[in-house]
Amino acid sequence: LKDHLNNLGIESTVENEKIKTYLNKHNLNYYGSYDASRYYAQKRLKEINYKILIDVHRDSVKKNISLLESNNKRYARVLFVLAKKNKNYKENEKFVKNLNTRINKKVKNLSRGIMNRTDVIFNQDLSSHAILLEVGGVDNTIEEVNNTMQVIAEVLNEYINEELNG
């Protein structure tokens, strides 16, 4: 995603700190991963004023749910996960709905929709433009994921130019 965004002229970075290092240092198990990612996100936000925060995951669903074939191209379908339990929920909801519509306009049914979660925050309280993406599943190929990332980058580019910079 970073490369696709950078190719479109959108400066983007990927957090390179290892979550496992933080977990080990603080004697946390896997479930402490969001404590670690939050620490690193807050640290970066002090350095750079990011317009958008994106948390990317691979879903655990099988290929019959995660694969889309459209116009002779194969895509890893995307699912937005929206945390309702934070101060930025309404702004993030508006953002996610906009992206969801744009993605499905560009490639019909590429998005599996929006999953609302009321039990977690997923660091979405750190920005009014924070999203969690589940891209593909356990059986998708890198090519399928990459095809989807290209679409997501194009949609983000449109959104930024029309909504944030417009």
Side-chain angles (χ1 to χ4, degrees), residues 146-157:
N146 195 42
N147 289 340
T148 299
M149 291 304 188
Q150 176 65 46
V151 174
I152 292 169
E154 291 169 6
V155 163
L156 284 167
N157 185 45

Side-chain angles (χ1 to χ4, degrees), residues 1-12 51 150 153-154 156-157 160-161 165:
L1 181 57
K2 174 190 164 196
D3 291 339
H4 291 298
L5 290 168
N6 287 338
N7 289 339
L8 291 169
I10 300 169
E11 186 179 344
S12 56
K51 290 184 179 181
Q150 176 65 46
E154 291 169 6
L156 284 167
N157 185 45
I160 290 167
N161 289 326
N165 294 340

Side-chain angles (χ1 to χ4, degrees), residues 10-31:
I10 300 169
E11 186 179 344
S12 56
T13 59
V14 172
E15 179 56 61
N16 291 319
E17 295 289 342
K18 303 290 183 231
I19 298 294
K20 187 74 173 151
T21 302
Y22 183 95
L23 295 178
N24 289 342
K25 181 178 177 181
H26 297 279
N27 199 27
L28 297 170
N29 63 21
Y30 169 79
Y31 296 102

